[in-house]
Amino acid sequence: MLTDRLRAEFVTLLGTDRVYTDPVTLALYASDETPKSCIPEAVLFPASHDHVVGIIAIAGREKLPITPRGAGSGNVGGALPTPGSLVLSFECMNHILEFDPDNRLMVVEPGVVTGDIDALAATAGLMYAPDPGSGAYSRIGGNLAMNAAGPRTVKYGASRDHVLGLRAVTGDGREIRTGSRTTKYATGYDLTRLLVGSEGTLALITEATLKLIPAPRRIASLRVCYSDDRSACEAVIRVMRQPIVPYALEFMDRRAIEAVREYGAADGLPDGTGAILMVEVEGDSEDIPRHLAALEAALRGTGLLAVQSGFSKAEIAHLWTARKSLSHAVKKIAPLKINEDVVVPVGKLADLVAAIDDLGRRHGLPMVAFGHAGNGNLHVNLMVHPDDAEEMNRARACRLELIETVLKLSGSLSGEHGIGSEKRAFVALEFDAATLGLMRDLKTLFDPYGILNPGKKLPD
Amino acid sequence: MLTDRLRAEFVTLLGTDRVYTDPVTLALYASDETPKSCIPEAVLFPASHDHVVGIIAIAGREKLPITPRGAGSGNVGGALPTPGSLVLSFECMNHILEFDPDNRLMVVEPGVVTGDIDALAATAGLMYAPDPGSGAYSRIGGNLAMNAAGPRTVKYGASRDHVLGLRAVTGDGREIRTGSRTTKYATGYDLTRLLVGSEGTLALITEATLKLIPAPRRIASLRVCYSDDRSACEAVIRVMRQPIVPYALEFMDRRAIEAVREYGAADGLPDGTGAILMVEVEGDSEDIPRHLAALEAALRGTGLLAVQSGFSKAEIAHLWTARKSLSHAVKKIAPLKINEDVVVPVGKLADLVAAIDDLGRRHGLPMVAFGHAGNGNLHVNLMVHPDDAEEMNRARACRLELIETVLKLSGSLSGEHGIGSEKRAFVALEFDAATLGLMRDLKTLFDPYGILNPGKKLPD
């Protein structure tokens, strides 16, 4: 509970313009991209590492829960306040502290917009590889907290693979520096990767040293149409076994294609298309044709209907129309999507898609699946009417069955969105008791008062 | 202390042929690749995960230290017994449990020889990327414990980047499973990467799920000769900023070249060569010439003397003669090498090499530097006569100055060899007290009785 005395203490620490308790601000910071909301006690806008240390000191002493927040663009409730919590917004810690092209690294505060990092890197022919769909507005601190990924992950890895080191503050106020400025490191325990993806439950990141890589040269796209899901999924296995690693390898299932057709964004799509792979390749002008030929050879097989290629920006944009219009198209099916973000080994993708089809039929729910097929990571959207209690019950049962299916296929609950508040009920299905117990003990070690993003990541 | 009663208990657990206390076996397992040795109390050869669980249960109860061991090929004392310890050799847990080419993964026991993993992967056109120099005999468990790397790390990353999941037993006997069989994962805390590189101090790995990637097609080599170190180091920066990531990018300094000349392995090396870069590129037959041209453009600059290329196996082997003969050549300088494995950001490589030159001169010691330049990781060998006490004193002072220099250059103690017993005195120079304290607390959490590889990784 934020008493007047405590409020005054935060004002003394941060300044009046960094402590908000007015209803409008509280309402603005009550929700993220989930349909839920919870009014916090206050919203704090630290401007420095020392501010974060000070906030944690007070919160620890008073046992006040902190909800860390970047742009609030996550969709699993990672930045959703819990009752009585203080939102700690990193929006004002938005400075790029250092850009060192020779060492291919950038040191940033957590509130920097992820897309700005990539844009600055590009001025020196470099790239920050992780490219979540929210990159134009999401903040790097949130991306690191959730181990965000995107289409380029198939070639370059996720956020965790592009951080060299961190500055952070644990729940009991320890100020730590992890990792190194080097691309190779065998000295201490790997605290860097432990913190990335820990969803702000172990420590708050106040500074990150990011690894940059040479930027792509030219990109070309293929839209590859198959008669059926299984044929497309089998092509994914073949593509991932050959040496030209695609720059993107995205999948759309039959129901996603139907949605796009109904939305009027299926221009040029052959009749009978039951699954699509979007494939991108990166290289110089001479590489591209040969690399495309290698990919086409791998993509060829049962059920292939058409391979459509795009080289210019306009051609590429046209090929991606169906995929890019998908998020709008699915809204026509039902007002709410329950978005799962499951991941399986690529060899099990066909089984997963078949199971989704079966689940949708048995539970009488439209289910749309698409996503990052090269990593076996599908976004499965259960389209529902939130006011229809009976349908919502069916959705709940369907969701549980989906998770159970994924785990049976040696998969995992989340490929890139994380757990947040929305998926933690399922976490105990994935981990055995000993492993989960150790994770809880880690949480207690880093955050003994339980003030850092409580109610997230691990089940109660 | 291993009493007769305890010995009998281990025999009951493992069988007579898995518990050795005879002087010959104890002597064989008393040392690793360091010049030191320490006779253990016993050598145990578990054959299964359950055996490891049983050993840890007894050791925990009796507070008996365990020294885990793969091939004993490490060179920082990671597998060096401590007084009173039991060596736990993983040599008999040497089975490949599963090879799944469609999902590009292999499940292995820790005693499998690393090179055998790569060889099996190659039968399906795949590769296990980490390639330590010891790969032909080192065991994967040791490689993972130390986060082993090698020349291919510049393109593909180190051991830590090629593990999907682990089965392991903590010091208090918790049997955990970390990670997933998927290439993307945002569910739990990243225990996998925390255990990789923890040098057997947190948990013993009993099973690893390794990530495989498509195998290289053709390889070509360049030997690039420069008049001086700085010119070569500046070329490294240029190479790493352009988009053709080399398959290897190795460096030899002036003193290394002199040693090779004296050894008679400098065939074809231009007069005046003061530094060499060995550059490899991977691709198909059509890629290779263009990729070499791109690399040559980046390699061109001040001080360049010659670019020598090799395409056939024989040509490549010839180019690598100087580099491969180096470990024998340096033995002619002095009988003992003190091998440091420092790493700096690549932009600081020239400063590091200049500092090494200066250190050698000031301390009157031959110092030979070579290694994985693309990652800024140099093996710095101080060549000494171990019986010359005065020289050994100078070497000690020189070594400390080297470490201090590396840290001033934003580098790290170890790029790939790890810390073991031999470098832990320096660890507190790299980490601040809070970070080191947290690492110690992690150690206590995973291993409350302090039985797992005591005296390694962290300073006392």
Side-chain angles (χ1 to χ4, degrees):
Chain A
M1 168 77 189
L2 187 72
T3 59
D4 287 348
R5 182 185 57 74
L6 278 173
R7 190 186 187 288
E9 197 175 355
F10 281 118
V11 168
T12 305
L13 173 72
L14 305 172
T16 39
D17 57 338
R18 302 195 169 281
V19 180
Y20 287 77
T21 50
D22 63 290
V24 174
T25 306
L26 296 186
L28 277 170
Y29 287 84
S31 57
D32 61 358
E33 287 296 308
T34 59
K36 301 188 179 173
S37 73
C38 172
I39 300 288
E41 295 269 309
V43 185
L44 309 176
F45 295 90
S48 67
H49 170 86
D50 288 344
H51 278 173
V52 176
V53 173
I55 293 169
I56 287 182
I58 299 172
R61 192 191 70 212
E62 302 290 334
K63 312 291 175 288
L64 284 171
I66 294 173
T67 304
R69 181 185 175 99
S73 54
N75 48 21
V76 295
L80 202 60
T82 45
S85 76
L86 311 174
V87 169
L88 190 162
S89 168
F90 281 103
E91 283 162 286
C92 299
M93 288 178 68
N94 61 351
H95 299 93
I96 292 177
L97 302 175
E98 187 186 346
F99 174 33
D100 182 348
D102 276 354
N103 289 310
R104 286 161 295 127
L105 62 82
M106 204 182 290
V107 183
V108 299
E109 289 187 319
V112 175
V113 170
T114 304
D116 292 349
I117 294 169
D118 199 27
L120 178 58
T123 63
L126 297 170
M127 159 165 88
Y128 176 66
D131 60 336
S134 58
Y137 47 91
S138 63
R139 311 279 175 143
I140 187 69
N143 282 189
L144 298 184
M146 308 311 278
N147 192 24
R152 296 200 292 227
T153 293
V154 68
K155 187 171 169 84
Y156 302 108
S159 294
R160 191 171 271 144
D161 303 303
H162 296 274
V163 189
L164 298 174
L166 298 170
R167 191 177 189 198
V169 189
T170 64
D172 54 354
R174 308 195 211 194
E175 300 172 57
I176 60 172
R177 284 186 184 271
T178 76
S180 171
R181 286 166 71 96
T182 60
T183 54
K184 209 172 166 182
Y185 174 74
T187 302
Y189 295 141
D190 190 354
L191 300 178
T192 308
R193 291 185 176 82
L194 181 63
L195 294 190
V196 175
S198 69
E199 305 190 4
T201 62
L202 299 180
L204 300 187
I205 295 168
T206 59
E207 196 180 298
T209 303
L210 304 175
K211 178 168 126 185
L212 307 175
I213 60 174
R217 293 150 290 175
R218 289 175 65 90
I219 290 166
S221 283
L222 298 177
R223 186 168 73 178
V224 194
C225 304
Y226 294 89
S227 58
D228 62 294
D229 297 323
R230 187 162 290 272
S231 296
C233 293
E234 278 164 9
V236 170
I237 298 173
R238 295 192 300 270
V239 168
M240 294 307 294
R241 279 189 62 171
Q242 58 78 51
I244 308 296
V245 182
Y247 188 71
L249 179 48
E250 302 287 301
F251 169 83
M252 284 171 66
D253 80 345
R254 179 182 301 277
R255 194 67 197 79
I257 294 165
E258 281 168 18
V260 164
R261 281 200 194 279
E262 283 154 28
Y263 191 69
D267 187 32
L269 217 58
D271 286 345
T273 299
I276 294 174
L277 294 180
M278 296 299 306
V279 188
E280 287 202 325
V281 67
E282 177 273 335
D284 66 25
S285 304
E286 292 182 71
D287 285 325
I288 295 265
R290 288 180 312 101
H291 289 184
L292 281 180
L295 287 171
E296 285 189 43
L299 290 158
R300 217 166 292 139
T302 325
L304 178 70
L305 297 180
V307 180
Q308 302 166 326
S309 47
F311 299 91
S312 69
K313 277 200 173 171
E315 288 166 351
I316 291 174
H318 181 250
L319 288 182
W320 279 87
T321 310
R323 172 65 184 81
K324 299 273 183 188
S325 65
L326 193 52
S327 56
H328 294 288
V330 296
K331 285 182 191 154
K332 300 258 175 186
I333 301 177
L336 181 69
K337 61 173 181 185
I338 298 174
N339 181 3
E340 290 302 320
D341 165 51
V342 294
V343 57
V344 294
V346 289
K348 303 289 179 71
L349 207 50
D351 292 343
L352 174 61
V353 175
I356 292 167
D357 207 44
D358 175 60
L359 280 170
R361 201 170 307 122
R362 281 196 291 109
H363 292 278
L365 288 169
M367 288 173 79
V368 182
F370 60 94
H372 315 300
N375 290 109
N377 180 205
L378 288 192
H379 300 316
V380 184
N381 293 290
L382 286 72
M383 304 310 302
V384 291
H385 301 79
D387 301 333
D388 182 341
E390 187 273 333
E391 188 177 80
M392 289 302 280
N393 274 337
R394 274 185 285 132
R396 250 184 298 275
C398 179
R399 200 176 163 214
L400 178 62
E401 259 195 79
L402 171 66
I403 299 291
E404 288 170 342
T405 302
V406 164
L407 296 178
K408 259 182 228 149
L409 294 172
S410 308
S412 179
L413 285 178
S414 175
E416 59 178 18
H417 291 170
I419 300 300
S421 54
E422 300 309 286
K423 296 181 187 177
R424 67 192 191 111
F426 303 124
V427 171
L429 300 177
E430 181 163 336
F431 298 119
D432 57 55
T435 306
L436 193 55
L438 187 60
M439 289 185 188
R440 286 192 210 279
D441 289 347
L442 272 173
K443 165 71 176 170
T444 303
L445 171 61
F446 279 77
D447 180 26
Y449 317 123
I451 57 170
L452 294 187
N453 219 5
K456 311 293 167 69
K457 190 76 179 170
L458 297 180
D460 280 331
Chain B
M1 168 74 190
L2 189 72
T3 58
D4 286 349
R5 182 184 57 74
L6 279 174
R7 191 187 186 291
E9 198 175 352
F10 282 118
V11 169
T12 305
L13 174 70
L14 306 172
T16 39
D17 58 337
R18 301 195 171 280
V19 181
Y20 287 77
T21 50
D22 62 292
V24 174
T25 305
L26 295 187
L28 276 170
Y29 287 83
S31 58
D32 61 359
E33 286 297 306
T34 59
K36 300 189 178 172
S37 72
C38 173
I39 300 289
E41 296 268 311
V43 185
L44 310 176
F45 295 91
S48 67
H49 170 86
D50 288 344
H51 278 174
V52 176
V53 172
I55 293 168
I56 287 182
I58 298 171
R61 191 190 70 211
E62 303 289 333
K63 311 294 177 285
L64 283 172
I66 294 172
T67 304
R69 182 185 175 99
S73 55
N75 48 20
V76 295
L80 203 60
T82 44
S85 75
L86 311 174
V87 169
L88 190 162
S89 169
F90 281 104
E91 284 161 286
C92 299
M93 288 178 68
N94 62 350
H95 300 93
I96 293 177
L97 302 175
E98 186 184 347
F99 175 33
D100 181 347
D102 276 354
N103 289 310
R104 287 161 294 126
L105 62 82
M106 204 182 290
V107 183
V108 299
E109 289 186 320
V112 175
V113 171
T114 304
D116 292 348
I117 293 167
D118 198 28
L120 178 59
T123 63
L126 297 169
M127 159 165 86
Y128 176 65
D131 59 337
S134 58
Y137 47 91
S138 63
R139 311 278 176 145
I140 188 69
N143 282 190
L144 299 184
M146 308 310 277
N147 192 24
R152 295 200 292 226
T153 294
V154 67
K155 188 170 168 86
Y156 302 108
S159 294
R160 193 172 269 142
D161 302 304
H162 297 275
V163 189
L164 298 174
L166 297 171
R167 190 177 190 198
V169 189
T170 64
D172 55 352
R174 308 194 211 194
E175 300 171 58
I176 61 173
R177 284 185 184 272
T178 76
S180 172
R181 287 167 69 99
T182 61
T183 54
K184 210 172 167 185
Y185 173 74
T187 303
Y189 295 141
D190 189 354
L191 300 178
T192 309
R193 289 182 177 84
L194 181 62
L195 294 189
V196 175
S198 69
E199 305 190 4
T201 64
L202 299 180
L204 301 187
I205 296 168
T206 58
E207 196 179 298
T209 303
L210 304 174
K211 178 169 126 183
L212 307 174
I213 61 175
R217 293 148 290 172
R218 287 176 67 92
I219 290 166
S221 282
L222 297 177
R223 186 166 74 177
V224 194
C225 304
Y226 294 90
S227 58
D228 62 293
D229 297 324
R230 187 161 291 270
S231 297
C233 293
E234 278 165 8
V236 170
I237 298 174
R238 295 193 300 272
V239 168
M240 294 306 294
R241 279 189 65 171
Q242 57 78 52
I244 307 296
V245 181
Y247 188 70
L249 179 48
E250 302 286 303
F251 170 81
M252 283 171 66
D253 80 346
R254 180 181 301 277
R255 195 63 198 81
I257 294 165
E258 282 167 18
V260 164
R261 280 202 195 280
E262 284 154 29
Y263 191 69
D267 188 33
L269 217 57
D271 287 345
T273 299
I276 295 174
L277 294 180
M278 297 297 308
V279 188
E280 286 202 327
V281 66
E282 175 274 333
D284 65 26
S285 304
E286 293 183 69
D287 286 323
I288 296 265
R290 289 180 313 98
H291 289 185
L292 282 181
L295 287 172
E296 284 190 42
L299 290 160
R300 216 168 290 139
T302 324
L304 179 69
L305 297 180
V307 180
Q308 302 166 326
S309 47
F311 298 92
S312 68
K313 277 200 173 169
E315 288 166 349
I316 292 174
H318 181 251
L319 288 181
W320 280 86
T321 310
R323 173 65 185 83
K324 298 275 183 187
S325 65
L326 193 52
S327 57
H328 294 288
V330 296
K331 285 183 191 151
K332 300 258 175 187
I333 302 176
L336 181 69
K337 62 173 182 183
I338 299 174
N339 181 4
E340 290 302 320
D341 164 54
V342 296
V343 56
V344 295
V346 289
K348 304 287 180 72
L349 207 49
D351 293 343
L352 174 62
V353 175
I356 291 167
D357 208 40
D358 175 58
L359 279 170
R361 203 171 303 123
R362 282 197 290 107
H363 291 278
L365 287 170
M367 288 174 77
V368 182
F370 60 92
H372 315 299
N375 290 108
N377 180 205
L378 288 193
H379 301 315
V380 184
N381 293 290
L382 287 71
M383 304 309 303
V384 291
H385 301 80
D387 300 334
D388 182 340
E390 187 273 333
E391 189 178 80
M392 290 300 282
N393 274 336
R394 276 185 283 134
R396 250 184 298 275
C398 179
R399 198 176 164 213
L400 177 61
E401 261 196 76
L402 171 66
I403 300 292
E404 287 170 343
T405 302
V406 165
L407 297 178
K408 261 183 223 144
L409 295 172
S410 307
S412 180
L413 286 178
S414 176
E416 58 178 18
H417 292 169
I419 300 301
S421 54
E422 300 309 288
K423 296 181 186 176
R424 66 193 192 110
F426 303 123
V427 170
L429 301 176
E430 181 163 336
F431 298 118
D432 57 55
T435 306
L436 193 55
L438 187 60
M439 287 185 190
R440 287 191 210 279
D441 288 348
L442 272 174
K443 164 72 177 171
T444 303
L445 171 61
F446 279 78
D447 180 27
Y449 316 124
I451 56 169
L452 294 186
N453 220 5
K456 311 295 167 68
K457 190 78 179 170
L458 297 181
D460 280 332

